[in-house]
């Protein structure tokens, strides 16, 4: 789930000869029937986009984003699909580019006017930033770090579900890092708030950008230290210790939660009784 090694992030004016063209209607990606990215000529019937820029270079070729307002009718040979659902459809590595494109699009549209004085902003040259010519404020793409933690106690894993999960599905605990908070402190706080459990032995797992709208998930393993499960009212519908032979339905493979839980299960299986 990483950028291809020959990709570099850029924010620059659009160019005609795109290497890859990521086209959006609203927040949804436009694709050809065989799930290829469209060509520039296929987008001609849409007219002028309301946002267009280069968001990166792949093997030296520009990756261009073009976007039209939500509700615009797609050309007859193209269809729209949520970035969430193109993970399995796009070639390897392209999902992470679509994720960057979606996040940069949200930022571009949200920073057309200065947040401090309301004046129209200008894209800066050579920097992924918008500058307000009236007051000098700069706006950079914002990223919201969030933690995820899989807690282990002996041969069991702590999994929880919130009311908006699909029925029967449980996942690792997660929550946003507060302003001024360290990531480690956030893990301890979120696990305790959501379940009443204290943890120790935090172990780094992996990170994943999650552009809905702008999260960066930071995933950890941790061990149970103390406490009894008390699900957080209004937040956690249920939380339980699960044994390997009685696991609930787990998150889909696109998410880092799935990889984190799979790694936790593999670790338990390798641990002698
Ligand atoms: Zn301003």
């Amino acid at each position: 789930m990483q950028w291809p090694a020959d990709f570099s992030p850029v924010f620059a004016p659009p160019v005609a000869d795109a290497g890859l063209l990521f086209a959006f209607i609203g927040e949804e990606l436009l694709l050809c029937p065989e799930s290829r990215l469209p060509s520039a000529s296929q987008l001609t019937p849409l007219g002028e986009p309301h946002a267009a820029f280069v968001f990166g270079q792949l093997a030296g070729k520009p990756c261009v984003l073009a976007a039209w307002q939500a509700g615009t009718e797609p050309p007859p040979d193209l269809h729209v699909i949520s970035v969430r659902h193109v993970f399995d459809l796009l070639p390897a590595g392209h999902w992470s580019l679509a994720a960057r494109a979606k996040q940069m699009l949200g930022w571009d549209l949200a920073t057309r006017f200065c947040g401090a004085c309301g004046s129209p902003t200008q894209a800066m040259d050579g920097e992924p930033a918008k500058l307000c010519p009236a007051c000098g404020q700069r706006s950079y793409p914002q990223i919201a770090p969030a933690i995820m933690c899989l807690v282990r106690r002996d041969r069991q894993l702590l999994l929880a579900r919130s009311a908006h999960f699909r029925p029967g599905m449980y996942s690792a605990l997660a929550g946003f890092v507060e302003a001024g908070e360290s990531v480690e402190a956030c893990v301890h706080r979120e696990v305790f708030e959501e379940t009443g459990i204290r943890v120790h032995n935090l172990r780094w797992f992996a990170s994943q950008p999650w552009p809905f709208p702008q999260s960066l998930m930071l995933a950890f393993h941790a061990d149970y230290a103390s406490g009894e499960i008390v699900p957080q009212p209004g937040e956690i519908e249920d939380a339980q210790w699960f044994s390997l032979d009685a696991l609930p339905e787990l998150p889909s493979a696109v998410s880092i939660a799935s990889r984190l839980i799979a790694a936790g299960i593999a670790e338990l299986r390798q641990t002698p009784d």
Side-chain angles (χ1 to χ4, degrees):
M1 191 75 63
Q2 299 192 1
W3 287 341
D6 51 357
F7 178 80
S8 52
V10 170
F11 178 63
V15 293
D17 58 336
L20 290 174
L21 182 52
F22 289 78
F24 289 82
I25 288 182
E27 295 192 339
E28 298 196 302
L29 198 59
L30 268 168
L31 290 180
C32 302
E34 24 345 324
S35 296
R36 280 186 301 103
L37 296 170
S39 65
S41 62
Q42 285 178 293
L43 302 173
T44 308
L46 290 170
E48 278 298 303
H50 77 142
F53 51 87
V54 172
F55 67 92
Q57 298 271 349
L58 182 66
K61 291 188 175 153
C63 299
V64 174
L65 173 147
W68 287 264
Q69 301 273 11
T72 304
E73 189 66 27
D77 51 341
L78 300 177
H79 64 279
V80 289
I81 181 165
S82 164
V83 171
R84 250 176 229 275
H85 299 133
V86 297
F87 177 71
D88 294 334
L89 302 177
L90 293 178
H94 286 190
W95 186 83
S96 59
L97 303 187
R100 170 171 166 78
K102 179 185 177 297
Q103 198 161 327
M104 291 297 286
L105 172 62
W107 169 72
D108 178 59
L109 295 175
T111 53
R112 298 249 161 132
F113 296 90
C114 174
C117 77
S119 302
T121 59
Q122 296 169 352
M124 291 187 68
D125 199 9
E127 245 190 301
K130 304 280 190 77
L131 176 68
C132 173
C135 77
Q137 167 144 307
R138 292 179 187 201
S139 307
Y140 293 87
Q142 293 195 333
I143 296 159
I147 65 90
M148 176 166 285
C149 184
L150 181 63
V151 185
R152 168 183 168 173
R153 184 182 69 178
D154 302 325
R155 301 192 65 78
Q156 293 184 310
L157 299 174
L158 177 59
L159 299 170
R161 57 170 284 109
S162 72
H164 70 265
F165 285 7
R166 66 175 181 268
M169 191 193 91
Y170 284 69
S171 187
L173 302 166
F176 284 103
V177 179
E178 291 282 342
E181 184 177 44
S182 76
V183 170
E184 294 84 351
C186 179
V187 172
H188 290 280
R189 179 182 56 78
E190 281 289 346
V191 171
F192 182 71
E193 281 180 3
E194 293 191 342
T195 63
I197 297 296
R198 298 285 185 190
V199 294
H200 64 162
N201 294 342
L202 264 54
R203 300 183 299 285
W204 173 246
F205 175 65
S207 67
Q208 181 183 50
W210 194 243
F212 309 102
Q214 56 196 12
S215 303
L216 176 64
M217 298 300 301
L218 309 162
F220 293 83
H221 293 283
D223 291 338
Y224 169 83
S226 64
E228 295 297 323
I229 294 175
V230 181
Q232 184 181 17
E235 196 66 33
I236 300 294
E237 192 177 79
D238 186 37
Q240 296 180 38
W241 294 106
F242 288 95
S243 302
L244 291 188
D245 56 3
L247 289 169
E249 193 184 334
L250 298 171
S252 68
V254 60
S255 67
I256 193 168
S258 161
R259 289 162 51 212
L260 176 68
I261 295 167
I265 291 170
E267 196 180 273
L268 279 190
R269 288 211 167 109
Q270 286 162 8
T271 308
D273 284 322

